[in-house]
Amino acid sequence: MADIASELSTACGQAFEAIGLEAKLGMVRRSDRPDLADFQCNGAMAAAKAARRNPREIAGELVEKLSGHPAIADITVAGPGFLNIKVTEELLAGRVQGVRESEFAGADQSADTKTIVIDFGGPNVAKPMHVGHLRSAVIGDTLKRLCRFLGHTVIGDAHLGDWGLQMGQLIVGLSEEQPDLPYFDVGNEGPFPAESPVTIEDLARLYPLASGKSKSDEAYRELCQKATAELQAGRAGYRALLKHFIDVSVKALKVDYDRLNVSFDLWKGESDADPFVAPMVTDLKDRGIAEESDGAWIIRVARDTDKGKTEMPPFILVNSRGGVGYHTTDLATIFDRAQNIKPDTMLYVVDQRQALHFQQVFRASEKAGYFPEAGLEHIGFGTVNGDDGKPFKTRDGGTVRLSDLNRMALEEAEKRISEANLSDDLSEEEVRDIGLKIALAATRFSDLQNTRTTDYKFDLERFTSFEGKTGPYLLYAAVRIKALLRRAKGEGNAAGAIRIVSDTERKLAMQMDGFNTALEQAFEKRMPHFLCEHIYNLAQAFSAFYAAHPIAAEKDAELRASRLGLCEAVLNQLETGLDILGIKTPERM
Ligand code: ARG
């Protein structure tokens, strides 16, 4: 269902054509003065300039052509030649009815559907996730839901960090604790035990131990580097260990991601790019795209058009020790996806601080002809800060684990539930479920509502509040509508034909009509906050409507049925929007 503005644009465009002017001048948008009009068209001014005519005169002719249009209740010329348009109640009622009945709550599906890979989450095996990984997970998962909602085919890939020095550190750490394991026998080609020799707790203990030691002890560091190189070169025992490390980590990660309602289609990692690295390096050398420089192989990615900026450093394909790193695995992953998924676009939802890395990778991909740079997008985001304005840390300065963050959010949500005496007549199970949903709404919405690229301050007390621009406030709005509809149903009252009579009803209907535009903006800019903004304003418009009118208690049967219909439409759009944000609404609260 196209929105009203585009429907009016078509009508205005025809009016412009009818008086011998260009149709595109008829672009209609929301009025800057909602107290005076619903929509406005400024085309007469532009037309007047070109045609050297008086804009008010042109506007007058347009009014004549458009008066009587079934969507238009009132059209007037204002100021130097604006058209002010008020739409009919019937039009708005029809729109609301559409929102109420539609599976997409009044939104359009995309006409031009694409296959999109979204690379998000990006957790590292053994290294604890930090709050930046939270942002990637929540933003990436939301973009995935949004793209799917619009009809695109999406493949979400976690792209695990499972190929770097931390793997060598784990191997060395483990070999010191359990030197007799078969994985460490030189020349042992396997098979190796199917059972993992380590648990996630072991990894959480071993990694900081080994990484600390490799910082202070040079000989130890060399051991770790050697183990990493041997792993990458294919030593069978180490590869078998890697597989255990990955499996154990993924299992633990899924628990944390589940809490955030985040899921992936693929759990591939840097290590999965390995089979593509050698043929890719050969190809790039053969075609002269990679060149030798001080014993390393590089791809020059600086461009003349970069002038004025500091020159972009080259892409290191193979370092002088013969090793490959993060750049090369990312390029090989593009190579893999281009061949095997054949997407139109790849989105990388990763911390803004990796912007240079992705620029280099994307340019290298373009230069190599693997995948066009125009289809590769780095979706960067700002940092989550603590009270001190620096990246959020635990009280003792450590990284905040995602699991701790989830636990803290749930505790805070439970505190809110007991403060509000919500749990009085609910079962323990239901209270737990509501707590989880409040925590989910709080965490996701407080992240998503910010312009993606800005930093924000982590403040659980604010995030879990039932008031203000928060996830729980939106849940509260949805639950209030559900309760109201249940009550009406219990009294034998059903929704019926919708009429838009009062001012708050009109505003609510106009708000619902903005859903499509909000989704389009969120998709085009890859910015979920446009959708957050829409949903929040919808909840606000509903609140005003709710405060202004009796609904279930309305005496007039037709009015009551109409208002119940409005409530159903709002609930449908609210829940649809929240679902795209990955937020679940409880039945009561
Ligand atoms: N593991 C990386 C990190 O923790 C993020 C990976 C992002 N994705 C990618 N294809 N580079 O910083």
Side-chain angles (χ1 to χ4, degrees):
M1 197 160 69
D3 58 13
I4 298 175
S6 45
E7 193 172 307
L8 290 175
S9 295
T10 310
C12 277
Q14 284 162 355
F16 270 97
E17 272 187 327
I19 61 167
L21 295 166
E22 272 183 280
K24 69 167 199 274
L25 294 163
M27 218 261 292
V28 170
R29 57 181 176 83
R30 292 278 176 133
S31 169
D32 293 335
R33 293 285 307 271
D35 50 325
L36 297 180
D38 301 323
F39 294 93
Q40 66 184 56
C41 173
N42 303 348
M45 260 95 73
K49 227 183 216 151
R52 298 186 175 203
R53 286 183 53 192
N54 177 346
R56 282 191 67 94
E57 205 180 282
I58 295 180
E61 287 174 27
L62 292 167
V63 166
E64 226 166 88
K65 294 275 173 225
L66 286 162
S67 307
H69 187 284
I72 297 175
D74 188 33
I75 178 164
T76 51
V77 180
F82 298 110
L83 288 179
N84 273 346
I85 303 170
K86 229 174 150 63
V87 291
T88 60
E89 285 164 19
E90 292 72 25
L91 179 82
L92 291 173
R95 293 285 156 162
V96 174
Q97 185 59 21
V99 172
R100 182 180 158 211
E101 286 165 358
S102 143
E103 183 189 343
F104 302 105
D108 284 331
Q109 291 257 282
S110 172
D112 180 22
T113 56
K114 304 271 187 224
T115 300
I116 305 171
V117 169
I118 308 186
D119 181 315
F120 71 105
N124 300 309
V125 166
K127 280 198 224 172
M129 288 196 262
H130 52 72
V131 280
H133 292 105
L134 164 83
R135 293 215 70 187
S136 175
V138 166
I139 297 169
D141 184 74
T142 301
L143 291 176
K144 183 190 78 183
R145 290 164 184 269
L146 172 66
C147 295
R148 281 208 180 126
F149 180 81
L150 296 173
H152 303 288
T153 302
V154 185
I155 297 100
D157 185 359
H159 200 77
L160 280 175
D162 58 1
W163 204 229
L165 182 63
Q166 86 267 26
M167 307 319 304
Q169 290 167 329
L170 282 179
I171 292 171
V172 173
L174 182 63
S175 76
E176 293 200 321
E177 274 192 2
Q178 301 189 53
D180 298 333
L181 289 173
Y183 307 93
F184 303 119
D185 297 343
V186 182
N188 187 348
E189 291 292 319
F192 295 97
E195 184 89 7
S196 171
V198 288
T199 62
I200 187 70
E201 288 76 26
D202 291 330
L203 293 184
R205 178 174 44 79
L206 281 172
Y207 172 71
L209 208 80
S211 99
K213 239 175 158 177
S214 93
K215 274 189 201 113
S216 59
D217 178 341
E218 200 174 319
Y220 193 87
R221 183 168 60 244
E222 269 167 34
L223 272 182
C224 296
Q225 280 163 347
K226 185 160 166 271
T228 310
E230 285 178 333
L231 166 76
Q232 296 188 349
R235 182 165 160 175
Y238 290 1
R239 289 285 176 116
L241 269 183
L242 172 70
K243 178 143 191 347
H244 287 309
F245 296 161
I246 293 174
D247 290 347
V248 163
S249 299
V250 168
K251 212 171 131 212
L253 286 166
K254 280 186 176 163
V255 175
D256 295 334
Y257 283 136
D258 249 11
R259 272 285 187 91
L260 292 171
N261 203 12
V262 166
S263 62
F264 300 92
D265 306 294
L266 295 176
W267 279 89
K268 289 201 163 195
E270 292 168 5
S271 67
D272 290 295
D274 178 54
F276 299 92
V277 168
M280 180 180 87
V281 169
T282 309
D283 172 54
L284 292 170
K285 286 180 183 172
D286 286 353
R287 289 193 289 136
I289 288 161
E291 51 190 276
E292 212 170 349
S293 167
D294 293 332
W297 286 87
I298 62 165
I299 302 173
R300 294 194 189 280
V301 288
R303 288 177 182 161
D304 293 347
T305 45
D306 294 343
K307 262 194 296 267
K309 298 174 208 143
T310 44
E311 185 167 325
M312 188 178 292
F315 177 108
I316 312 275
L317 184 66
V318 183
N319 65 29
S320 54
R321 284 181 318 230
V324 301
Y326 191 41
H327 283 90
T328 307
T329 53
D330 258 331
L331 189 59
T333 304
I334 290 178
F335 184 83
D336 174 14
R337 289 174 182 158
Q339 309 281 318
N340 298 310
I341 302 178
K342 300 189 175 64
D344 298 292
T345 308
M346 301 186 207
L347 307 181
Y348 291 81
V349 187
V350 187
D351 199 310
Q352 194 58 43
R353 287 172 292 188
Q354 295 192 25
L356 175 63
H357 167 80
F358 285 109
Q359 249 181 342
Q360 292 175 294
V361 172
F362 297 169
R363 285 184 179 193
S365 168
E366 170 86 22
K367 203 166 176 182
Y370 291 155
F371 197 82
E373 195 182 353
L376 297 165
E377 292 176 45
H378 175 211
I379 311 298
F381 49 77
T383 54
V384 186
N385 295 332
D387 286 331
D388 56 0
K390 298 208 189 89
F392 186 50
K393 291 268 158 75
T394 56
R395 229 164 260 164
D396 50 18
T399 16
V400 186
R401 287 159 191 271
L402 198 49
S403 52
D404 291 332
L405 211 132
N406 283 333
R407 183 184 41 75
M408 281 153 55
L410 182 60
E411 279 168 11
E412 197 69 28
E414 281 166 347
K415 218 159 89 191
R416 297 297 165 150
I417 293 176
S418 67
E419 276 167 11
N421 297 320
L422 290 180
S423 51
D424 292 357
D425 39 38
L426 298 174
S427 73
E428 212 172 288
E429 207 177 307
E430 218 172 341
V431 173
R432 164 94 186 164
D433 177 65
I434 295 170
L436 286 169
K437 285 176 175 152
I438 291 177
L440 175 68
T443 321
R444 286 190 73 129
F445 192 80
S446 57
D447 190 292
L448 295 169
Q449 64 144 318
N450 300 287
T451 309
R452 170 168 55 73
T453 43
T454 59
D455 302 344
Y456 72 90
K457 199 176 108 189
F458 190 79
D459 180 355
L460 270 182
E461 203 176 309
R462 188 163 60 81
F463 297 170
T464 52
S465 169
F466 292 141
E467 280 153 41
K469 200 171 177 181
T470 69
Y473 165 74
L474 298 171
L475 295 191
Y476 200 75
V479 166
R480 193 155 66 174
I481 303 175
K482 289 187 189 192
L484 191 157
L485 291 171
R486 263 199 308 273
R487 173 181 160 196
K489 200 171 166 208
E491 291 165 351
N493 292 326
I498 288 164
R499 288 163 44 199
I500 302 298
V501 190
S502 74
D503 189 45
T504 55
E505 287 170 340
R506 192 176 185 89
K507 285 195 177 121
L508 187 54
M510 285 287 287
Q511 178 60 32
M512 279 191 258
D513 187 56
F515 190 42
N516 209 33
T517 305
L519 290 169
E520 255 167 33
Q521 281 179 313
F523 173 72
E524 270 157 25
K525 303 218 159 67
R526 325 305 194 195
M527 295 262 194
H529 79 272
F530 286 107
L531 177 57
C532 294
E533 199 69 23
H534 175 81
I535 296 175
Y536 176 69
N537 290 335
L538 177 63
Q540 293 273 78
F542 177 78
S543 259
F545 160 76
Y546 182 86
H549 304 292
I551 301 171
E554 169 60 49
K555 300 268 179 324
D556 180 296
E558 264 178 40
L559 258 186
R560 186 177 57 231
S562 161
R563 290 193 185 138
L564 289 172
L566 257 164
C567 287
E568 285 183 1
V570 173
L571 182 63
N572 188 24
Q573 195 171 83
L574 197 55
E575 283 199 295
T576 304
L578 287 171
D579 187 54
I580 297 172
L581 299 178
I583 294 171
K584 302 180 196 169
T585 50
E587 284 313 300
R588 48 190 105 230
M589 173 175 149

